[in-house]
Structures are given as C-alpha cells and as structure tokens.
Amino acid sequence: APPHLQYLLEPLHTAVHTQRGATATLPCVLRALPRNYRVKWSKVEPANYRESIIIITNGLYHKNYGPPRPQVRLRHSHRYDASLTISDVALEDEGRYRCQLVNGLEDESVSLTLHLEGVVFPYQPSNGRYKFNYHEAKRACEQQDSRLATYQQLYKAWTEGLDWCNAGWILDGTVRYPIINSREPCGGRLLLPGVRTYGARDKQKDRFDAFCFTSALQGEVYFIRGHLNFKEAGQACHNHGAAIAKVGQLYSAWKFSQLDLCNGGWLADGSVRYPIITPRERCGGLPDPGVRSFGFPSKELRTYGTYCFEG
C-alpha cells in the first residue's frame, strides 16, 4: 500500500456503480485500530466544491450529520469495517465521497465515487430555448423526476451518442453542449467533436437550456390510447390509479425498460413525446433510437394518447 496509508486499506475499486433505488456500499476498511481514532465520511458537492459531513464514528458510537436519512448507515460487518452503506439510492447520492481517518496528526483518507447508471436528456420549457437561469434549470430537472447532470454524466452521454446543438446548464454551474457531428450552426465544421463549453456563467442572469439526468424507476410507465386533450390525459391516468408521466420517467422507461412506442402521448409538463428503441420509417424516420418530441402543442388539442406512471 502507498506509504501515506498507515491505517486505511487502499480500496480495490474506487468507483462503485449502482442505480436509483438500489443498495450501494462504499468500502472503507482499517488495517489497524489506532488509539482514540475517528472515521469521518463526507461528500464533495460539485456545485460549490464544499464537503458535507455524513457520519462520524469512533468504532463504538456514531453520529449522523445533515438532514436525517434512515437509508445511510455504517456497514460495520467486523471491528475494522467503516464502510458506508446507502440503501434506496437517490439521484442526489451520485458523486465523490471521502472516508477520512482522524487520528491526531496522522490523518489519512481514501476517495471513492458513486456512479449511477442512467440517461441524460436536454430540456427546455414550453416558451422556447434559453429561458432558464441556473436555479430555474435545477428546479425544472427536479420537477421532471431528474436532476441537473454532472459533467461526467454529460461526457458519458456524449460518448454514447448524445449530439445536441443547444447549450445547457449542468450541476457545477458551467454551460456546455455535446457535439458528435460538427456543423455550421454548432460552432462550425472545423471544431472537433466534443463536449463544448461556455465556461462558468452568471447563475442569476445568464439563460440557457438544461441537461437533466435520471436513473432507473421504482415503477412502470405505460401508454393509454385515445384522442385526449391535456386535461383528459391527466384524468385518464388518474382513473387507472396512476399519474401522468414526467419527462424523466419516460426517458427512464425508454432506457431501462426498453419502452418502444410509435404513439405520441401527453406528459406532465404539457409536452408530447414518444420513445423509440428500434428506429423505423413510419416512426419519424430518424436513424437513431431516442425519445422523440412533438414539442408543446395546444393543451386543447384532442390528438394524442397519454403516458402514465404507476409507482
């Protein structure tokens, strides 16, 4: 082990992969128990790079910090084990964690990353593009059963094929957009493909779209056929004991449940969309899988079915 780790074992894997709703354990094991030691778990918040303390233990007792979260506990499977277990993982649990041994002057720590499997989608409101400041973008993602994507999530989505010309906020307060096919309206043909950046912008004044991230669902999205206006769509879901689906829920069902339907359906934000796994000519004709959008039609139109979510 590296010489600076006298008491903590170097973890075999510093990245733990999981999904929303699952149980994940971040390993932190001691090789020896120094006298009067404490182990402190904290999480690095990407929006401000501050560390928030989660739990502190001295091996016998522990104290939780922050808002009460019954799903966060120490695994403690033996006397040297200070691993952190998170059950019912939430979207906001994604990120970098630190397990620090506090022992007078001999403090040492290991860093671990919790990665959620999921999908990133660009999002803009019904009144057009570039309408969100940072705080509005954050709230808009949360209202659609998602959260602002991290840079790592957006980068991974780009490597998997996300190609989008509109710039959007991400969690760290920067504004970026992912380009696979360089083209004139998107910075020109000469710029290489990549996740382009506008850098950090004024969170209050500057306005862009949002890149949202969602993970696996604890529930099911299904389609109800009909010629419904927006209000009737919500009522149809309610009659089935469900709620009209949110955009993040439809993306999650597309990604994790392989939902593949050619029918446009209302969603909770007033948009009409449909999920395609196997592209075909009569379903928009685009060559790649994805969640297609008809935008935000008049809510009085009786043209579409509805997507419902039952949790």
Side-chain angles (χ1 to χ4, degrees):
H4 65 279
L5 284 186
Q6 187 180 349
Y7 294 106
L8 292 177
L9 284 175
E10 192 78 42
L12 278 175
H13 304 287
T14 57
V16 174
H17 294 265
T18 189
Q19 291 180 357
R20 176 165 55 175
T23 296
T25 297
L26 297 163
C28 185
V29 178
L30 284 71
R31 66 170 75 243
L33 300 176
R35 292 181 63 183
N36 303 321
Y37 78 95
R38 285 174 299 145
V39 170
K40 179 172 79 174
W41 274 101
S42 54
K43 183 170 188 269
V44 181
E45 302 299 345
N48 52 23
Y49 298 105
R50 290 200 188 119
E51 284 197 23
S52 49
I53 299 172
I54 301 167
I55 204 165
I56 293 179
T57 180
N58 64 0
L60 294 172
Y61 307 101
H62 69 270
K63 183 178 179 191
N64 288 54
Y65 290 80
R69 293 212 35 213
Q71 63 268 47
V72 177
R73 60 183 172 83
L74 292 166
R75 182 173 65 180
H76 210 64
S77 56
H78 53 80
R79 60 198 288 251
Y80 297 100
D81 184 17
S83 303
L84 188 73
T85 293
I86 305 170
S87 51
D88 195 15
V89 169
L91 292 175
E92 56 269 22
D93 292 327
E94 161 108 8
R96 195 154 63 85
Y97 291 77
R98 195 155 77 103
C99 175
Q100 182 182 13
L101 182 115
V102 182
N103 177 37
L105 299 173
E106 299 179 286
D107 294 2
E108 55 189 71
S109 66
V110 293
S111 285
L112 300 124
T113 306
L114 187 66
H115 287 295
L116 266 70
E117 294 168 31
V119 56
V120 170
F121 60 94
Y123 189 72
Q124 56 182 224
S126 57
N127 57 344
R129 69 176 218 160
Y130 293 177
K131 300 294 182 185
F132 295 134
N133 69 21
Y134 174 81
H135 307 288
E136 291 161 347
K138 189 169 179 288
R139 197 158 53 245
C141 289
E142 287 162 3
Q143 286 167 349
Q144 296 310 314
D145 192 51
S146 58
R147 75 191 292 245
L148 275 179
T150 64
Y151 173 72
Q152 288 79 5
Q153 288 164 345
L154 184 62
Y155 184 87
K156 184 171 185 285
W158 169 69
T159 66
E160 292 170 352
L162 184 61
D163 179 82
W164 199 255
C165 211
N166 291 353
W169 293 102
I170 62 172
L171 190 60
D172 64 6
T174 61
V175 172
R176 302 173 189 261
Y177 62 103
I179 292 294
I180 287 172
N181 304 307
S182 298
R183 50 205 188 272
E184 274 317 317
C186 311
R189 295 177 191 278
L190 299 179
L191 275 182
L192 290 173
V195 178
R196 311 256 176 84
T197 181
Y198 285 20
R201 306 305 290 238
D202 187 313
K203 289 181 178 179
Q204 214 60 50
K205 293 181 187 162
D206 288 327
R207 297 193 171 267
F208 296 95
D209 291 345
F211 286 105
C212 305
F213 171 85
T214 193
S215 184
L217 278 178
Q218 306 302 105
E220 182 197 2
V221 172
Y222 59 90
F223 181 71
I224 294 179
R225 293 179 187 281
H227 297 285
L228 310 168
N229 64 28
F230 177 69
K231 191 176 176 185
E232 292 165 343
Q235 189 59 49
C237 292
H238 183 71
N239 293 346
H240 281 73
I244 189 166
K246 297 176 178 179
V247 178
Q249 291 166 340
L250 185 65
Y251 269 93
S252 182
W254 167 75
K255 171 85 173 176
F256 290 99
S257 306
Q258 303 291 290
L259 191 63
D260 181 78
L261 283 165
C262 215
N263 309 82
W266 291 103
L267 294 175
D269 66 340
S271 66
V272 171
R273 304 174 196 247
Y274 62 101
I276 294 292
I277 298 289
T278 308
R280 44 215 189 267
E281 196 53 50
R282 63 184 183 82
C283 299
L286 292 171
D288 300 313
V291 174
R292 316 272 196 255
S293 174
F294 287 118
F296 294 85
S298 161
K299 289 184 175 179
E300 304 309 314
L301 267 186
R302 283 197 167 90
T303 311
Y304 304 103
T306 182
Y307 286 96
C308 305
F309 172 70
E310 196 168 340

